[in-house]
């Protein structure tokens, strides 16, 4: 039976303006509800930012159409047992100050943490500092302090944006960091970029509270440039860049396709640092005439077969094929359906039988299929019956089953970890789940493997193009109550994009990878439309 040691909730207060809160803030509170007991609501009634309409007019227009979205839409705080204190803040220049009598109420009630969701720049005096004031900053402080969130990242051609939860001090965005995540920058859409970093923010408050209680800090530089609201001229430059990037995306969507391939190589990788796979070393798996691409390759448990996703030219949906490693022209279909898509055929051993866990998120909750008996029978993964999960990968260690996966809505950025004492028992979230929030390394790119006494996880790098390379992650801690990993390196393809996934044979002598090249095609747009219609149906 899975049992977690419960820790006492921290006594907390939240700061808001006019009793209103954004959706992403409320989501963060809900995620952290098992860590916090909200005692007080500190409601500031005089927060108001000074606007320079002439200098920043174009920015305010941009803000209205981009940063004002369903994640930031204000709503009144839900009713609770928390006591509400209305107050007017004092001001010194651009800084707001919480009155001394309000701070004293926090100290009298032994409030351990204050979560700042309202007010502007907040001055932290000696007394308030005792309460651990936590605040979100949407930006990586090593490069981007100040505001507006995500704007300068797009302008400067960044591929990702940072999000932190910090303990405030009196220096702008330079406090002690207790949680950090990354989200994808969408170079042709400021709104989508903002939705990305607001949507991942909900996971960070819980992580920050957990780290605060355990005295664990995120070590990173806070010397980034202190940005300010952009002038009208800078916003015009920003608009031009967005429009140009959008034009390139449209042209690519209409006339270019990713031509995916699968190949086998002899293993000469060290899995450390930056490594490049030479195209001359590849032995490609031949693609039969009824399929347009092969991807997501895995070895069978005995290493004699390769299983992969094959995209049908007719249905634009994926089948699962088996390929004989000795004679790769010998290929057979093991999973197919004219209305269902299969991919990522992860195999594992359980109860002396080989099982397959294909990705079935387009039409079903996750299940596993026995390959040794009736291939039509399947076992549902308990605990995940109501979720559509992506690239599910199992790893067994010390009698526990660990299930790594993404959710369909955010798999490129968020990696979840669930755990069970047995494959047929109920899986539950690991204490540290989600364990990775980053487009550089979150999505699974193959089996977890023990190599040179190191447990390695391969994470897709999707910060630019989809599947452009792999990140090598070393799992340092993996127990029912702890998880830690480090980024050890990256794997690239020579003169191609990829690998998107990588798997090793049981004896570690061979590697199978997938990769792609962008190719011109007059039918690219038609094929994309056909695939979307098929998925909708």
């Amino acid at each position: 039976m899975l049992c977690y040691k419960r820790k006492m909730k921290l006594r907390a207060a939240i700061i808001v303006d006019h009793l209103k809160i954004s959706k992403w803030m409320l989501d963060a509170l809900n995620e952290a509800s098992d860590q916090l007991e909200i005692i007080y609501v500190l409601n500031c009634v005089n927060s108001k930012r000074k606007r320079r309409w002439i200098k920043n007019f174009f920015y305010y227009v941009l803000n209205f159409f981009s940063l004002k979205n369903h994640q930031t839409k204000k709503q009144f705080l839900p009713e609770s047992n928390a006591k509400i204190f209305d107050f007017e803040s004092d001001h010194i220049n651009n800084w707001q100050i919480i009155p001394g009598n309000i701070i004293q109420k926090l100290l009298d009630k032994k409030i351990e943490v204050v979560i700042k969701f309202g007010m502007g720049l907040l001055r932290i005096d000696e007394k308030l500092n005792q309460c651990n004031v936590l605040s979100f900053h949407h930006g990586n402080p090593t490069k981007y302090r100040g505001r507006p969130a995500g704007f300068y990242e797009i302008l400067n051609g960044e591929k990702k944006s940072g999000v932190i939860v910090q303990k405030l001090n009196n220096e702008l965005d330079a406090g002690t960091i207790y949680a950090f995540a990354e989200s994808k920058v969408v170079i042709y859409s400021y709104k989508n970029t903002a939705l990305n970093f607001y949507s991942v923010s909900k996971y960070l408050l819980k992580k920050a509270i957990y780290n605060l209680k355990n005295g664990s800090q995120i070590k990173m530089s806070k010397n980034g440039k202190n940005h300010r609201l952009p002038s009208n001229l800078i916003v015009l430059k920003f608009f031009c860049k967005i429009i140009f990037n959008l034009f390139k995306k449209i042209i690519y969507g209409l006339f270019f396709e990713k031509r995916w391939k699968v190949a086998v190589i002899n293993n000469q990788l060290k899995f450390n640092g930056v490594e490049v796979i030479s195209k001359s070393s590849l032995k490609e798996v031949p693609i039969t005439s009824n399929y347009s691409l092969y991807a997501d390759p895995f070895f069978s448990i005995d290493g004699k077969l390769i299983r992969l996703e094959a995209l049908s030219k007719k249905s634009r949906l994926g089948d699962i094929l088996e390929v004989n490693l000795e004679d790769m022209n010998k290929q057979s279909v093991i999973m197919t359906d004219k209305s269902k898509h299969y991919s990522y055929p992860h195999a594992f051993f359980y109860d002396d039988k080989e099982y397959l866990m294909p990705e079935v998120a387009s039409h079903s909750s996750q299940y596993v299929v026995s390959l040794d008996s009736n291939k039509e029978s399947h076992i549902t993964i308990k605990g995940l019956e109501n979720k559509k999960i992506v690239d599910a990968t199992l790893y067994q260690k010390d009698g526990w089953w660990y299930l790594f996966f993404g959710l369909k809505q955010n798999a490129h950025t968020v990696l979840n970890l669930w755990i069970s004492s047995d494959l047929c028992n109920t899986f539950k979230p690991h204490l540290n789940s989600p364990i990775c929030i980053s487009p550089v390394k979150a999505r699974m790119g193959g089996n977890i493997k023990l190599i040179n006494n190191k447990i390695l996880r391969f994470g897709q790098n999707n910060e630019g193009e989809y599947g452009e390379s792999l990140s090598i992650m070393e799992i340092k801690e993996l127990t029912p109550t702890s998880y830690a990993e480090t980024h050890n390196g990256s794997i690239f393809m020579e003169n191609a994009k990829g690998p998107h996934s990588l798997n090793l044979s049981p004896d570690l002598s061979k590697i199978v990878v997938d990769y792609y090249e962008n190719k011109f095609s007059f039918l690219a747009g038609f094929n994309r439309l056909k695939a979307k219609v098929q998925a909708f149906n």
Side-chain angles (χ1 to χ4, degrees):
M1 180 179 178
L2 189 61
C3 182
Y4 294 140
K5 181 181 178 181
R6 292 185 175 272
K7 292 192 175 183
M8 296 292 292
K9 293 183 178 182
L10 292 186
R11 299 168 65 82
I14 62 173
I15 300 173
V16 297
D17 293 327
H18 308 290
L19 288 180
K20 289 187 176 182
I21 193 170
S22 296
K23 179 185 180 300
W24 72 265
M25 299 173 183
L26 190 59
D27 288 344
L29 285 174
N30 289 334
E31 285 283 330
S33 60
D34 62 337
Q35 303 280 335
L36 296 172
E37 180 184 3
I38 307 298
I39 306 294
Y40 288 153
V41 173
L42 308 184
N43 181 43
C44 186
V45 297
N46 68 334
S47 290
K48 188 176 181 180
R49 283 183 173 175
K50 182 180 179 181
R51 295 185 183 273
R52 298 179 178 179
W53 286 102
I54 296 176
K55 180 181 179 180
N56 305 119
F57 176 76
F58 286 169
Y59 166 72
Y60 294 131
V61 174
L62 177 67
N63 180 302
F64 180 80
F65 288 104
S66 299
L67 296 186
K68 303 293 184 184
N69 53 60
H70 73 270
Q71 288 284 350
T72 59
K73 185 178 181 180
K74 295 288 186 179
Q75 56 186 294
F76 281 105
L77 273 174
E79 292 187 7
S80 70
N81 295 324
K83 188 171 183 178
I84 299 172
F85 289 108
D86 297 331
F87 71 95
E88 289 191 2
S89 68
D90 299 323
H91 290 81
I92 297 180
N93 298 323
N94 294 325
W95 296 81
Q96 290 180 267
I97 301 172
I98 297 176
N101 65 315
I102 298 295
I103 296 176
Q104 192 59 49
K105 292 180 184 296
L106 299 176
L107 298 177
D108 291 344
K109 204 68 175 179
K110 297 182 180 178
I111 298 299
E112 298 169 277
V113 62
V114 176
I115 301 146
K116 178 184 172 294
F117 285 137
M119 306 181 70
L121 295 176
L122 177 60
R123 179 68 66 182
I124 307 294
D125 65 17
E126 185 177 346
K127 286 187 175 181
L128 185 56
N129 191 52
Q130 298 176 45
C131 299
N132 296 305
V133 182
L134 297 184
S135 176
F136 282 80
H137 169 62
H138 294 95
N140 186 329
T142 64
K143 291 184 177 181
Y144 298 96
R145 296 160 60 215
R147 61 191 179 116
F151 177 91
Y152 290 101
E153 285 87 337
I154 294 178
L155 189 65
N156 295 335
E158 301 284 0
K159 294 182 178 181
K160 58 184 181 294
S161 179
V163 185
I164 64 170
V165 178
Q166 60 182 327
K167 179 182 176 181
L168 289 182
N169 58 23
N170 290 321
E171 187 178 353
L172 185 63
D173 298 325
T176 301
I177 299 172
Y178 286 104
F180 173 72
E182 294 174 314
S183 64
K184 184 178 177 66
V185 168
V186 183
I187 60 173
Y188 57 85
S189 173
Y190 190 25
K191 183 174 183 177
N192 287 340
T193 296
L195 288 172
N196 284 346
F197 59 66
Y198 284 128
S199 64
V200 302
S201 297
K202 71 176 184 179
Y203 303 110
L204 292 194
L205 181 59
K206 180 176 182 177
K207 289 185 175 293
I209 298 299
Y210 181 84
N211 287 333
L212 177 66
K213 289 195 292 187
N214 290 282
S216 301
Q217 302 176 13
I218 308 297
K219 303 293 185 182
M220 60 191 305
S221 169
K222 305 153 199 171
N223 298 322
K225 183 177 178 180
N226 182 10
H227 290 277
R228 301 181 184 276
L229 293 188
S231 66
N232 291 327
L233 185 60
I234 293 177
V235 174
L236 284 175
K237 181 180 177 181
F238 179 89
F239 275 132
C240 291
K241 188 156 192 172
I242 286 281
I243 292 170
F244 179 71
N245 289 337
L246 181 59
F247 177 75
K248 287 199 303 182
K249 175 179 169 55
I250 292 171
I251 293 299
Y252 179 89
L254 289 175
F255 300 113
F256 289 87
E257 289 182 322
K258 291 178 172 63
R259 299 289 174 83
W260 289 90
K261 298 178 181 180
V262 166
V264 178
I265 60 172
N266 293 325
N267 180 17
Q268 296 180 335
L269 298 181
K270 297 178 180 179
F271 301 103
N272 189 49
V274 177
E275 301 189 83
V276 179
I277 296 175
S278 170
K279 290 189 72 174
S280 63
S281 65
L282 301 176
K283 182 179 180 182
E284 290 185 3
V285 177
I287 300 176
T288 59
S289 59
N290 51 328
Y291 293 109
S292 60
L293 63 83
Y294 286 176
D296 286 354
F298 286 78
F299 283 104
S300 60
I301 296 299
D302 60 12
K304 297 179 180 180
L305 300 169
I306 298 170
R307 300 193 184 98
L308 52 80
E309 171 199 349
L311 191 71
S312 169
K313 288 182 178 178
K314 185 176 181 180
S315 69
R316 306 301 296 177
L317 297 174
D319 296 339
I320 302 299
L321 302 190
E322 279 187 344
V323 180
N324 187 294
L325 186 61
E326 296 298 322
D327 181 358
M328 292 193 291
N329 288 303
K330 293 182 179 180
Q331 304 179 13
S332 59
V333 180
I334 61 170
M335 295 189 76
T336 185
D337 192 302
K338 292 182 179 180
S339 62
K340 296 176 181 178
H341 179 77
Y342 301 98
S343 60
Y344 201 82
H346 162 63
F348 61 96
F349 211 55
Y350 173 72
D351 197 22
D352 296 326
K353 295 180 181 178
E354 185 175 8
Y355 285 82
L356 198 67
M357 179 183 281
E359 182 191 310
V360 291
S362 63
H363 60 274
S364 174
S365 57
Q366 190 62 61
Y367 57 82
V368 301
V369 180
S370 172
L371 291 175
D372 290 348
S373 55
N374 183 3
K375 295 181 181 179
E376 296 301 318
S377 64
H378 63 263
I379 303 170
T380 300
I381 299 297
K382 295 178 182 178
L384 291 164
E385 295 90 345
N386 298 320
K387 296 184 182 296
K388 299 294 183 65
I389 70 174
V390 174
D391 295 347
T393 308
L394 281 165
Y395 187 73
Q396 192 177 19
K397 182 176 181 288
D398 300 330
W400 293 95
W401 288 83
Y402 297 90
L403 181 61
F404 298 73
F405 64 89
L407 293 175
K408 196 172 181 182
Q409 63 268 25
N410 58 14
H412 281 356
T413 305
V414 180
L415 179 61
N416 301 281
L417 176 61
W418 286 40
I419 182 173
S420 178
S421 58
D422 188 85
L423 180 67
C424 293
N425 293 342
T426 301
F427 280 79
K428 295 182 179 180
H430 190 278
L431 275 176
N432 297 117
S433 185
I435 54 173
C436 182
I437 307 174
S438 171
V440 178
K441 53 197 175 186
R443 187 163 180 168
M444 294 299 296
N447 285 331
I448 294 170
K449 204 75 173 179
L450 183 64
I451 304 173
N452 298 327
N453 295 317
K454 297 179 180 179
I455 303 175
L456 299 184
R457 179 181 76 80
F458 301 105
Q460 296 178 24
N461 183 354
N462 296 310
E463 66 173 352
E465 289 192 58
Y466 172 63
E468 64 179 32
S469 63
L470 284 177
S471 295
I472 305 167
M473 309 303 296
E474 181 183 351
I475 298 176
K476 295 287 193 177
E477 291 182 39
L478 182 59
T479 74
T481 57
S482 66
Y483 184 88
E485 64 180 17
T486 58
H487 193 167
N488 281 12
S490 303
I491 304 174
F492 294 85
M493 296 295 299
E494 178 188 41
N495 298 324
K497 296 289 186 178
H500 159 267
S501 58
L502 179 151
N503 283 289
L504 291 99
S505 59
D507 63 1
L508 307 183
S509 65
K510 295 186 181 299
I511 293 174
V512 62
V513 295
D514 58 358
Y515 54 97
Y516 68 90
E517 297 177 8
N518 290 311
K519 296 291 186 178
F520 178 83
S521 170
F522 281 113
L523 296 177
F526 173 78
N527 288 336
R528 283 188 172 87
L529 179 61
K530 182 179 178 181
K532 288 184 178 181
V533 170
Q534 189 68 44
F536 180 77
N537 292 332

